[in-house]
Structure formats: C-alpha cells, structure tokens
C-alpha cells in the first residue's frame, strides 16, 4: 500500500475541486495539497465544455433567480471573470456574447418588463429590447418564416446585454485553475489521475484515511469532496447526509448545422420546473453553432457517457417513504408530469427531433427539423438533491459541512459559475479548522470587485 | 401592535392599486401588515423590504410549511387573511389552532359567475357549469363559515353571491386614495373627451354605448378607451365606421399611466348592464376617474346612489340606448367649467365617505373586536 499524507485533500477534479485547489494554494498557508481525480484528466464529466451550456450564470437573464440570489451569483460570477482576466484567458476560454431573456406572450412580457426594472439596480448594463430592436439584434426570434417577412403575432420583449462576458469553457478553466495552483505555490500540490475513491474513514486522531479503487491510501487533515453526485454517495458511506437523496437529471442538446443565433437566448422559466428552461447558446467549442437545450431526463446513473454507476445511483437515491412523497408531490403537478414525459420523448429516436423543434420554436418560430441534429456526446448529469426532511426537491447547490474536517459538495447549476465563491466558503472553513493563515486582502484584490 | 398576514392570489408584479393604499399604507397605521404574493417564474422564496413575501406558486399547497422553513414566525400573526383562493383558505384553516391566529377570507369579486355570464352572453350553454358552481359554492360557503370573518367588497355582493355565509362580515370596499389624487388637466381643444377604462367583453354590452355615440348629432367629442382587451376593442370599433376616427384605444399598463390618461379627459363612463355582478359594488373605474377629478356618467344602482347624487357630483343613466343618448347630448351641452365642477364635487364626496384611510380604520377596529 502506498501512503501519502496531505494537510488538505480534495476529491474531484472538476471546476469546483480545482477552484478550491487554486484558492488554497494561493491564498492560504496550507502546507500540502492533493487533488484526486477518478479519470485520466481534469473535468471529464459535468465541467467539460460539451457537458454544460458554457454560461456564466450571473443572474441577470436567469428569470427564476430572485434578486437576493442574483446578488450572490453576481459576486461569484465576477470572481470567475476576474480569474480569467487575471491570467489573460479572455477570448481564449472566456468570451463575450449577446445574451437575453426572452418573454413571449402578454404574461411573460409583463414579467420581463417588471423584472428588468427590479434587476437593473443590480445590473445597470441591462437593456430592454422591444420587437423592433430584436429584429436587428436577433431576427430569428421575431420572424415566423425563414425569409423573414412575417412577424410572430404574440407580444414579445427581451432584457439583455451585449457588453458582458457570458460564455466560458469550464473544462479549460478547470485546467487553468489547477495549472495556476501548481505555479503560484511552492508547497506540494499533487494531482493524481485515475484515482477513484471508494471509502473515507476518520481515524481516532481526527485525520482521514482515503482508500482508492487501485488499493492506494492517502491521509489528510481535512477533506473536501467535490465529486458531483458521488459526493453524496461518499457522504452516505460515512453516515453523513442521510436526510438527502440524489436525483441525477441528464441534459441533452440539439445543434444547428451552422451559426444560427447571434447570442444566448434564454426563455422565461416556469418556477415549477427545477431545471433551466430551454435556451439557445452559441457553442464556443463548435465554431459558434447554436446549441439548443438542455432537455431534462431522469437517468438511473450518476455519470453520463461513462460505464456503470447504476448501482451507485440506487444507493445515492436513498430510497424510502420520503423519496416516494417527493416524487408523488412532483408528479402530482400536471406541468411537471407533462414536462417529464415530454423530456423522455426527446430522447426517443425518430420522434425526438420533431418534438424538440416544437418546443424550440418558442425561441425561433421558423426552426425546422432539418435545421438541427441531436448533439451526440453533448450533455451531462445534474445531481439534483432531494431533501427528505423538507420532503422537497432542492434547487441549486447543496453542501454538507460535518464540522469534523470533511465537507461534501453537490453543485448542479449554477455550480460552475459559483465555483470560486463556493471554494471561498470552504477555504474559510478549512482555515478556521486547521488554524491556517488566509491572505484575505490579496484574495479580495484578485477576485472580487 | 397586532399583526396581519395578507395572502393574495395575485402575482408580485400585478398593479396592486387596491392592496397598496388599503393594506400597505393605511392599515399599517393600525397594525403590522405582511403581504404575501406568488410568482410563476422565480424559484425561491423572497422576503422583499421586510414585509413583502414572494413565494413560488409551486409551494401553494404547502405554503405555511414553506414560510416556516424560511424563518417566518407564524405564531406572531393575530390574523391570516386569504384573498379569493378557497384551497389556500383551507390550508390556512388547517393550521389555525396550531398557530393561534384568526382566519379571514377576502372575497373581492365573483369571478366564476362572471365567466359563466360572459359565456352565456356569447351563446354558450352553461348548464353544467352552473350546476358545478352551485356545488362549489356550497362547499366554499362551508369552508368560509369555518373562518373567523368574511371580507366581501360590499354587503350587496355578499347577499348576491355568498348569502349563506353566517360568520361576521367586514366590508372591504374599493375607495379613493387621498394620497394619490391626480390634478385634472384642462385640455385646449373644443371637443368633450370621454373615457372608458376596464374590461371589455360581451357581457358589458359596449355596443349599446357605441350605438349611443354614433347617434349623436353633435360631433364635438372623442372617446378614449383603455383596456387590456385591445383586440376585442379594435374589432368592436371597426363595426362603427362613422365614429371610429373619434375613438382611441389604449392599454395603460400601470395605475399611474391610467390615471395620467384619465386626467387628460373630461368625463368618465361607467355604464354597465343592470346585473348584480355590476350593481353590487361601485366599479373601481369610478374611483379612478374621480382620483383625477374627472366626473362620471354611471349606471344608477343601489350602491352608486348611496354615494353620488345625479347632476350634483355625477350623472346617472339607465343602461338603454335612449337614456344614454339623451345623457350624452346633455353632457355635450355643458361647458368644460361646469363639467370640472361636478368632478371636483365628486372627488370631495368620495374623500368624505369612501376613502381608504377611513376604511382601513374601520377594518382594523372590526378585526380587533373579533
């Protein structure tokens, strides 16, 4: 058995894990750091550029965010932006696109107008775009036909901007974070690939033993698990987070043959649906082709496009009466029932494209089946957390801080945008727990506005 | 100070021209008032400006649990009032004993009845819906009678639509907001400007009013309409080619925009068919007109005649073509100054007898006495 001891050990080399790796290395007096990654490279799952929408969710066009939530996401989104600017990553992995939240129909138009006034205080750059303006900025959302002669009959409005950084390859950012962490610090900052953690034990001296599938063992004073749905899997194995279950929601995308929309177009969200409403985004990894999606399909596995993890899903679901009650309540609502059924059909070959186009026409009325194709290999899994105590599906992220030197994070959207903010929270906890120095001034200067 | 939680079935962004003055301005002088709205779009509970809660609609069925989870102290409320939503009322009643509040049901308008009437006016058979409604009213009345008080818009509305409610009633009527009066702007043009604001549908029989306008010999008038039913209004006006140039259709989005539009006109119209849904309370549009000092030509009902006097502070007309035509002819013979004087008197009258400050005091006193 191989044995390595580190002051802090991070499990999971996605955007959340690497963000913490970077912050600890640069802004604390930690003496040694280790990152364990299950696969052969960083960010091969949900942080990978093809797995998510590549969006910086600042909260301006995400219509399901409250102003309070947007205040938080704005801060964390700006941290991502500042990191990239600090290392000259703009126009390499981070880009500016036009973006908008589109309201269609009387009710949504009313909502967007009011939301615009409410949120402009926080996002002064926001503009309100009426049908005339949209004809110039994003004509495909306005016209019913491909030759752009007939305007759609419903009232329409958008709030948006074309001055902000909107898009990022989170996979590339994960690599940049890890690379900078190793560059900026002269302490041991080790990354081990192909290292799947199977068990974590806390010893009597309060340190931890980490056992891997290839029979290696690591020890650490503090552990943070940023392993997506597997965070909860490992927490359950240690007896933590038993009041939570995990519902993996897979998202797929459809791609246009060529450049289609000029920027990101988000729809108004139905609050009953815990997953992002359909949107169209220019894909920075596919020459700006427009990617429509994501769909939302419950998948009985924790990792997309990887073999196995079916059994892990059932263990992590933590099935009991409370879970039944949550599903019962969710499916009792006809909106959610229809949504679940429709999203299932979006994955069925032969009919999927036709059905998806019907939905996507709310964004682009002239969209036809021959404009899009199923983006094979694109998409990921969002580990949505089920709170069994509250008997409800939690929206957004969840963190289990045991207070005993180990933290488990589940970070579905907007987890990637919040990666540096979440890492800051965990870093402060680690500093407190281990009595480390925290270079707070430098941190604020580098990463906050 | 006693504390009230007012749960409205309305969206956070609707124009709260009733709630704002009555509950947020004047009732707050007598008790602490928290107001809860719903949102169809946002995902999380929000507490805005301390006393405003916004709850995603998906939590309607477990509202109090959601409030508790967001650290709202439900024990602190003396009263919980629900507006128009009987399922929410049931939910609130379920927890009444646990949290020791008084449960109140606010009945603002008989929406289902209006819908049935509208459908009938369009020639649709509503027999089945009438039967279902009768059963629903029985059930709802039973639930309302388990509450501590019932707050209809008027006594007449209670008698017409919830006659079997036996619990104490507290009238919660629309009124004029003394703090939001718009100055009437005398315009320079010679014509007399009429204005109609509000819903337009078959039931309101607006063609009778347009018929009256089209039969006028004096053509020195204009009619402004502000309605959400713009399409309906356009279709209707198209049927009157001789006067359509004299009619302007608007869709004022906010109360301020509406009052500003009214302020530019001379006479408001609140003529409605003689149906209990219209005669059991004073239409809100009447208060909107007088808020801008604009006098109103209205249908005389048991309700309006307790407030106004014909030719003193308003004009009454029966809802017939002859009567309306006659009144319009008469109004066109009046000078702008005479018209403005009637508007001023009407506003003064409303400030005396129907203003939100007095109504809020009365409501607070009656709640305390429960």
């Amino acid at each position: 058995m191989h044995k390595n001891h580190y002051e802090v050990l991070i499990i999971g080399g996605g955007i959340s894990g690497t963000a913490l790796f970077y912050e600890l290395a640069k802004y604390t007096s930690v003496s040694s750091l280790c990152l364990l990654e299950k696969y052969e490279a960083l960010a091969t799952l949900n942080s990978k550029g093809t797995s998510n929408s590549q969006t910086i969710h600042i909260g301006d066009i995400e219509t399901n965010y409250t102003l309070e939530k947007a205040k938080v996401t704005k801060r964390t989104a700006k941290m991502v932006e500042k990191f990239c600017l600090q290392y000259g990553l703009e126009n390499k992995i981070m880009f500016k696109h036009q973006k908008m939240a589109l309201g269609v129909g009387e009710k949504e138009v009313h909502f967007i107008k009011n939301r615009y006034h409410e949120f402009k205080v926080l996002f002064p750059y926001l503009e309100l775009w009426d049908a005339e303006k949209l004809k110039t900025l994003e004509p495909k959302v306005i016209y019913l036909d491909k030759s752009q002669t007939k305007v759609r009959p419903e009232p329409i409005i958008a709030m948006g901007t074309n001055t902000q950084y909107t898009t990022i390859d989170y996979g590339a950012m994960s690599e940049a974070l890890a690379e900078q962490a190793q560059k900026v610090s002269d302490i041991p900052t080790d990354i081990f690939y192909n290292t799947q953690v199977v068990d974590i034990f806390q010893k009597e001296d309060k340190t931890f033993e980490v056992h891997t599938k290839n029979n290696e063992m690591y020890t650490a004073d503090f552990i943070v698990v940023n392993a997506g749905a597997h965070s909860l899997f490992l927490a359950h194995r240690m007896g933590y987070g038993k009041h939570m279950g995990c519902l993996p929601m897979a998202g797929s995308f459809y791609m246009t043959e060529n450049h289609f929309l000029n920027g990101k177009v988000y729809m108004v969200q139905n609050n009953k649906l815990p997953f992002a409403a359909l949107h169209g985004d220019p894909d920075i990894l596919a020459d700006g082709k427009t990617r429509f999606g994501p769909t939302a399909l419950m998948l009985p596995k924790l990792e997309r496009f990887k073999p196995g993890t079916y059994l892990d899903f059932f263990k992590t679901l933590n099935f009991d009466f409370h879970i039944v009650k949550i599903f019962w309540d969710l499916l009792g609502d006809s909106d959610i029932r229809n949504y679940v059924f429709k999203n299932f059909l979006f994955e069925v070959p032969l009919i999927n494209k036709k059905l998806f186009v019907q939905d996507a026409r709310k964004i682009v009325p002239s969209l036809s089946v021959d404009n899009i194709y199923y983006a094979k290999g694109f998409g990921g899994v969002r580990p949505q957390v089920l709170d069994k105590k509250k008997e409800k599906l939690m929206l957004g992220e969840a963190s289990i801080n045991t207070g005993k030197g180990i933290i488990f994070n589940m970070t579905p959207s907007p987890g990637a945008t919040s990666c540096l903010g979440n890492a800051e929270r965990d870093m402060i906890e680690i500093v407190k727990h281990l009595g480390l120095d925290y270079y707070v001034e430098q941190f604020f200067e580098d990463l906050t506005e | 100070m006693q504390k009230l939680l007012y749960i409205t079935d309305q969206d956070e962004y609707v124009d709260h021209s009733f709630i704002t003055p009555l509950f947020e301005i004047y009732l707050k002088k007598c008790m602490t008032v928290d107001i809860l709205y719903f949102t169809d779009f946002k995902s999380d509970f929000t507490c805005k400006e301390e006393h405003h809660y916004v709850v995603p609609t998906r939590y309607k069925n477990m509202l109090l649990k959601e409030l508790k989870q967001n650290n709202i102290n439900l024990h602190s409320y003396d009263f919980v009032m629900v507006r128009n939503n009987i399922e929410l009322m049931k939910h609130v009643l379920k927890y009444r004993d646990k949290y020791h509040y008084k449960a109140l049901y606010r009945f603002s308008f008989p929406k289902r009845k209006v819908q049935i009437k509208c459908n009938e006016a369009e020639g649709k058979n509503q027999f089945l819906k009438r039967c279902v409604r009768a059963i629903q009213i029985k059930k709802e009345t039973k639930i309302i009678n388990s509450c501590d008080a019932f707050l209809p818009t008027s006594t007449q509305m209670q008698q017409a639509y919830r006659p079997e409610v036996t619990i104490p009633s507290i009238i919660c009527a629309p009124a004029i907001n003394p703090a939001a009066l718009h100055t009437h702007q005398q315009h320079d043009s010679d014509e007399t400007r009429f204005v109609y604001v509000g819903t337009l549908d078959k039931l309101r029989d607006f063609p009778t009013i347009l018929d009256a306008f089209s039969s006028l010999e004096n053509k020195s008038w204009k009619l402004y309409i502000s309605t959400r039913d713009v399409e309906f209004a356009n279709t209707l006006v198209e049927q009157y080619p001789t006067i359509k140039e004299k009619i302007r259709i608007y869709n004022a989005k906010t109360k301020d925009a509406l009052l500003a539009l009214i302020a530019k006109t001379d006479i408001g119209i609140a003529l409605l068919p003689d149906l209990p849904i219209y005669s059991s309370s004073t239409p809100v549009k009447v208060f909107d007109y007088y808020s801008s000092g604009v006098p109103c030509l209205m249908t005389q009902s048991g309700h309006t005649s307790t407030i106004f006097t014909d030719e003193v502070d308003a004009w009454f007309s029966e809802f017939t073509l002859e009567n309306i035509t006659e009144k319009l002819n008469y109004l066109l013979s009046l000078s702008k100054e005479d018209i403005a004087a009637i508007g001023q008197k009407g506003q003064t009258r409303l400030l005396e007898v129907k203003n939100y400050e007095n109504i809020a005091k009365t409501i607070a006193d009656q709640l305390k006495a429960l």
Side-chain angles (χ1 to χ4, degrees), chain A residues 63-66 69 106-107 110-111 114-115 118 268-272 390-392 395, chain B residues 12-14 39-46 48 56-59 65-66 69 251 253:
Chain A
T63 59
N64 55 329
Y65 288 15
T66 61
K69 182 168 177 170
E106 195 80 51
K107 199 174 171 188
H110 177 68
F111 170 74
N114 282 288
R115 191 184 186 279
E118 187 185 356
V268 170
Q269 179 89 17
N270 176 346
N271 85 81
K272 288 181 181 173
K390 293 179 180 170
E391 291 186 337
K392 67 180 187 186
L395 305 179
Chain B
E12 62 165 327
Y13 290 136
V14 298
T39 171
D40 273 337
F41 303 110
K42 294 179 185 169
S43 298
D44 301 301
F45 170 90
T46 325
K48 277 183 175 176
T57 44
R58 70 173 185 281
Y59 294 132
K65 196 173 154 189
E66 182 63 16
Q69 280 171 8
N251 181 4
K253 300 284 185 194

Coordinates of all heavy atoms in Angstrom, one line a residue, chain A residues 63-66 69 106-107 110-111 114-115 118 268-272 390-392 395, chain B residues 12-14 39-46 48 56-59 65-66 69 251 253:
Chain A
T63 N -34.3 34.0 -15.3 CA -35.5 34.6 -14.8 C -36.1 33.9 -13.5 O -37.0 34.4 -12.9 CB -36.6 34.6 -15.9 OG1 -36.8 33.2 -16.3 CG2 -36.2 35.4 -17.1
N64 N -35.5 32.7 -13.2 CA -36.0 32.1 -12.0 C -35.3 32.5 -10.8 O -35.6 32.2 -9.6 CB -35.9 30.6 -12.1 CG -34.5 30.1 -12.5 OD1 -33.8 30.8 -13.1 ND2 -34.1 28.9 -12.0
Y65 N -34.2 33.4 -10.9 CA -33.5 33.8 -9.8 C -34.2 35.0 -9.1 O -34.7 35.9 -9.8 CB -32.1 34.3 -10.2 CG -31.1 33.3 -10.6 CD1 -31.5 32.0 -10.9 CD2 -29.7 33.6 -10.7 CE1 -30.5 31.0 -11.3 CE2 -28.8 32.6 -11.1 CZ -29.2 31.3 -11.4 OH -28.3 30.4 -11.8
T66 N -34.2 35.0 -7.8 CA -34.7 36.2 -7.1 C -33.5 37.2 -7.1 O -32.4 36.8 -7.3 CB -35.0 35.8 -5.6 OG1 -33.9 35.3 -5.0 CG2 -36.1 34.7 -5.6
K69 N -30.8 36.1 -4.7 CA -29.9 35.1 -5.3 C -29.0 35.7 -6.3 O -27.8 35.3 -6.4 CB -30.8 34.0 -5.9 CG -29.9 32.8 -6.5 CD -30.7 31.6 -6.8 CE -29.8 30.6 -7.4 NZ -30.5 29.3 -7.6
E106 N -48.4 37.9 -23.5 CA -48.7 39.0 -22.6 C -48.1 38.8 -21.2 O -47.5 39.8 -20.6 CB -50.2 39.1 -22.5 CG -50.8 40.4 -21.9 CD -50.8 41.5 -22.9 OE1 -51.3 41.4 -24.0 OE2 -50.3 42.6 -22.5
K107 N -48.3 37.6 -20.6 CA -47.9 37.4 -19.2 C -46.4 37.5 -19.0 O -45.9 38.1 -18.1 CB -48.4 36.0 -18.8 CG -48.5 35.8 -17.3 CD -49.1 34.5 -17.0 CE -48.9 34.2 -15.5 NZ -49.3 32.9 -15.1
H110 N -45.1 41.1 -19.5 CA -45.4 41.9 -18.3 C -44.3 41.6 -17.2 O -43.7 42.4 -16.6 CB -46.7 41.5 -17.8 CG -47.1 42.1 -16.5 ND1 -47.4 43.5 -16.4 CD2 -47.3 41.6 -15.3 CE1 -47.7 43.8 -15.1 NE2 -47.6 42.7 -14.4
F111 N -44.0 40.3 -17.1 CA -43.0 39.8 -16.2 C -41.6 40.4 -16.5 O -40.9 40.9 -15.6 CB -42.9 38.3 -16.1 CG -41.8 37.7 -15.3 CD1 -41.8 37.8 -13.9 CD2 -40.7 37.2 -16.0 CE1 -40.7 37.3 -13.2 CE2 -39.6 36.7 -15.2 CZ -39.6 36.8 -13.8
N114 N -41.2 44.1 -15.7 CA -41.1 44.4 -14.3 C -39.8 43.9 -13.7 O -39.2 44.5 -12.9 CB -42.2 43.7 -13.5 CG -43.5 44.5 -13.7 OD1 -43.6 45.6 -13.1 ND2 -44.4 44.1 -14.5
R115 N -39.4 42.7 -14.2 CA -38.1 42.1 -13.7 C -36.9 43.0 -14.2 O -36.0 43.2 -13.4 CB -37.9 40.7 -14.3 CG -36.8 40.0 -13.6 CD -36.5 38.6 -14.3 NE -35.5 37.9 -13.6 CZ -34.2 38.0 -13.7 NH1 -33.8 38.9 -14.5 NH2 -33.4 37.3 -13.0
E118 N -36.7 45.8 -11.8 CA -36.2 45.4 -10.5 C -34.7 45.0 -10.5 O -34.0 45.4 -9.6 CB -37.0 44.1 -10.1 CG -36.8 43.6 -8.6 CD -37.5 42.3 -8.3 OE1 -38.2 41.8 -9.1 OE2 -37.2 41.8 -7.2
V268 N -38.3 32.5 -20.4 CA -38.8 32.7 -19.1 C -39.0 31.3 -18.4 O -39.6 30.4 -19.0 CB -40.1 33.5 -19.1 CG1 -40.7 33.5 -17.7 CG2 -39.8 34.9 -19.5
Q269 N -38.5 31.2 -17.2 CA -38.6 29.9 -16.5 C -39.9 29.7 -15.8 O -40.5 30.6 -15.3 CB -37.5 29.9 -15.4 CG -37.4 28.7 -14.6 CD -36.5 27.7 -15.2 OE1 -35.7 28.0 -16.1 NE2 -36.6 26.4 -14.8
N270 N -40.4 28.5 -15.9 CA -41.6 28.1 -15.1 C -41.0 27.6 -13.8 O -40.2 26.7 -13.7 CB -42.3 26.9 -15.8 CG -43.4 26.4 -15.0 OD1 -43.6 26.7 -13.9 ND2 -44.3 25.6 -15.7
N271 N -41.5 28.3 -12.7 CA -40.9 28.0 -11.4 C -41.1 26.6 -10.9 O -40.5 26.1 -10.0 CB -41.4 29.1 -10.3 CG -42.7 28.7 -9.7 OD1 -42.7 27.9 -8.8 ND2 -43.8 29.2 -10.2
K272 N -42.1 26.0 -11.5 CA -42.4 24.6 -11.0 C -41.3 23.6 -11.5 O -41.2 22.5 -11.0 CB -43.7 24.1 -11.6 CG -44.9 24.8 -11.0 CD -46.2 24.3 -11.6 CE -47.4 24.9 -11.0 NZ -48.6 24.5 -11.7
K390 N -37.4 18.1 4.5 CA -38.3 19.0 4.0 C -39.3 18.4 2.9 O -40.2 19.1 2.5 CB -37.6 20.3 3.4 CG -36.9 21.1 4.4 CD -36.1 22.2 3.7 CE -35.4 23.0 4.7 NZ -34.5 24.0 4.1
E391 N -38.9 17.2 2.6 CA -39.7 16.5 1.5 C -39.9 17.3 0.3 O -41.0 17.5 -0.2 CB -41.1 16.0 2.1 CG -40.9 14.9 3.1 CD -42.2 14.4 3.6 OE1 -43.2 15.0 3.5 OE2 -42.2 13.2 4.1
K392 N -38.8 17.8 -0.2 CA -38.8 18.6 -1.5 C -37.5 18.5 -2.3 O -36.5 18.2 -1.7 CB -39.3 20.0 -1.3 CG -38.4 20.9 -0.6 CD -39.0 22.3 -0.5 CE -38.1 23.3 0.1 NZ -38.7 24.6 0.3
L395 N -33.4 23.1 -5.1 CA -32.9 23.7 -6.4 C -31.5 24.3 -6.1 O -31.2 24.8 -5.1 CB -33.8 24.9 -6.8 CG -35.3 24.5 -6.9 CD1 -36.1 25.7 -7.2 CD2 -35.5 23.4 -7.9
Chain B
E12 N -46.6 38.9 -8.0 CA -45.9 40.0 -7.3 C -45.9 41.3 -8.1 O -45.8 42.4 -7.6 CB -44.5 39.6 -7.0 CG -43.7 39.3 -8.2 CD -42.2 39.2 -7.9 OE1 -41.7 39.9 -7.1 OE2 -41.5 38.4 -8.6
Y13 N -46.0 41.1 -9.5 CA -45.8 42.3 -10.3 C -47.1 42.9 -10.8 O -47.1 43.9 -11.6 CB -45.0 42.0 -11.5 CG -43.5 41.7 -11.3 CD1 -42.8 40.7 -11.9 CD2 -42.8 42.6 -10.4 CE1 -41.5 40.4 -11.7 CE2 -41.4 42.3 -10.2 CZ -40.8 41.3 -10.8 OH -39.4 41.1 -10.6
V14 N -48.3 42.4 -10.4 CA -49.5 43.0 -10.8 C -49.7 44.4 -10.2 O -49.0 44.6 -9.2 CB -50.8 42.1 -10.6 CG1 -50.8 40.8 -11.3 CG2 -51.1 42.0 -9.1
T39 N -45.3 34.0 -7.2 CA -44.6 34.2 -8.5 C -44.7 32.9 -9.3 O -44.5 31.8 -8.8 CB -43.1 34.6 -8.3 OG1 -42.5 34.6 -9.6 CG2 -42.4 33.7 -7.4
D40 N -45.0 33.1 -10.6 CA -45.0 32.0 -11.5 C -43.6 31.7 -12.1 O -43.4 30.7 -12.7 CB -45.9 32.3 -12.7 CG -47.3 31.9 -12.5 OD1 -47.6 31.1 -11.6 OD2 -48.2 32.5 -13.1
F41 N -42.7 32.6 -11.8 CA -41.4 32.5 -12.5 C -40.2 32.3 -11.6 O -39.2 31.6 -12.0 CB -41.2 33.7 -13.4 CG -42.3 33.9 -14.4 CD1 -43.2 35.0 -14.2 CD2 -42.5 33.1 -15.4 CE1 -44.3 35.2 -15.1 CE2 -43.6 33.3 -16.3 CZ -44.4 34.3 -16.1
K42 N -40.1 32.9 -10.5 CA -38.9 32.8 -9.7 C -39.0 31.5 -8.9 O -40.0 31.0 -8.5 CB -38.8 34.0 -8.7 CG -38.5 35.2 -9.5 CD -38.5 36.4 -8.6 CE -38.3 37.7 -9.4 NZ -38.5 38.9 -8.6
S43 N -37.8 30.9 -8.6 CA -37.7 29.6 -8.0 C -37.7 29.6 -6.4 O -38.0 28.6 -5.8 CB -36.4 28.9 -8.4 OG -36.4 28.7 -9.8
D44 N -37.3 30.7 -5.8 CA -37.1 30.7 -4.4 C -38.0 31.7 -3.7 O -38.3 32.7 -4.2 CB -35.6 31.0 -4.1 CG -34.7 30.0 -4.7 OD1 -34.8 28.8 -4.4 OD2 -33.8 30.4 -5.5
F45 N -38.2 31.4 -2.4 CA -38.9 32.3 -1.5 C -38.1 33.6 -1.4 O -36.8 33.6 -1.3 CB -39.0 31.7 -0.2 CG -39.5 32.6 0.9 CD1 -40.9 32.8 1.1 CD2 -38.6 33.3 1.7 CE1 -41.3 33.6 2.1 CE2 -39.0 34.2 2.7 CZ -40.4 34.4 2.9
T46 N -38.7 34.8 -1.4 CA -38.0 36.0 -1.2 C -38.7 36.9 -0.2 O -40.0 36.9 -0.2 CB -38.0 36.9 -2.5 OG1 -37.9 36.1 -3.6 CG2 -36.9 37.9 -2.5
K48 N -39.0 40.6 0.5 CA -38.7 41.9 0.0 C -39.0 43.0 1.0 O -40.2 43.0 1.5 CB -39.5 42.2 -1.3 CG -38.9 41.6 -2.5 CD -39.9 42.1 -3.7 CE -39.4 41.6 -5.0 NZ -40.3 42.0 -6.1
P56 N -42.9 31.1 -4.7 CA -43.2 30.4 -6.0 C -44.5 29.7 -5.9 O -44.8 29.1 -4.9 CB -42.0 29.4 -6.1 CG -40.9 30.0 -5.3 CD -41.6 30.7 -4.1
T57 N -45.3 29.7 -7.0 CA -46.6 29.1 -7.0 C -46.6 27.6 -6.7 O -47.6 27.1 -6.2 CB -47.3 29.3 -8.3 OG1 -46.4 29.0 -9.4 CG2 -47.8 30.7 -8.5
R58 N -45.4 27.0 -6.9 CA -45.4 25.5 -6.7 C -45.5 25.2 -5.2 O -45.8 24.0 -4.8 CB -44.2 24.9 -7.3 CG -42.9 25.2 -6.6 CD -41.7 24.4 -7.1 NE -40.5 24.6 -6.4 CZ -39.7 25.6 -6.6 NH1 -40.1 26.6 -7.5 NH2 -38.6 25.8 -5.9
Y59 N -45.4 26.2 -4.3 CA -45.5 25.9 -2.9 C -46.9 26.3 -2.3 O -47.1 26.3 -1.1 CB -44.4 26.7 -2.1 CG -43.0 26.3 -2.4 CD1 -42.0 27.2 -2.7 CD2 -42.7 24.9 -2.3 CE1 -40.7 26.8 -2.9 CE2 -41.4 24.5 -2.6 CZ -40.4 25.5 -2.9 OH -39.1 25.0 -3.2
K65 N -45.8 25.7 5.5 CA -44.5 24.9 5.8 C -43.4 25.7 5.1 O -42.3 25.8 5.7 CB -44.7 23.5 5.1 CG -43.7 22.5 5.5 CD -44.1 21.2 4.9 CE -42.9 20.3 4.8 NZ -43.3 19.1 4.0
E66 N -43.6 26.2 3.9 CA -42.5 26.9 3.2 C -42.2 28.2 4.0 O -41.0 28.6 4.1 CB -43.0 27.3 1.8 CG -42.0 28.0 0.9 CD -40.8 27.2 0.6 OE1 -40.7 26.0 0.8 OE2 -39.8 27.9 0.2
Q69 N -40.1 27.2 7.0 CA -38.8 26.9 6.6 C -37.9 28.1 6.2 O -36.7 28.1 6.2 CB -38.8 25.9 5.4 CG -39.1 24.5 5.8 CD -39.4 23.6 4.6 OE1 -39.2 23.9 3.5 NE2 -39.8 22.4 4.9
N251 N -53.8 50.8 -23.9 CA -53.7 49.7 -22.9 C -52.7 50.2 -21.8 O -51.6 49.9 -21.8 CB -53.2 48.4 -23.6 CG -53.1 47.3 -22.6 OD1 -53.5 47.4 -21.4 ND2 -52.6 46.1 -23.1
K253 N -50.6 50.4 -18.8 CA -50.0 49.2 -18.1 C -50.0 49.4 -16.6 O -49.9 48.4 -15.9 CB -48.6 48.9 -18.6 CG -48.5 48.6 -20.1 CD -49.0 47.2 -20.4 CE -48.9 46.9 -21.9 NZ -49.6 45.7 -22.3

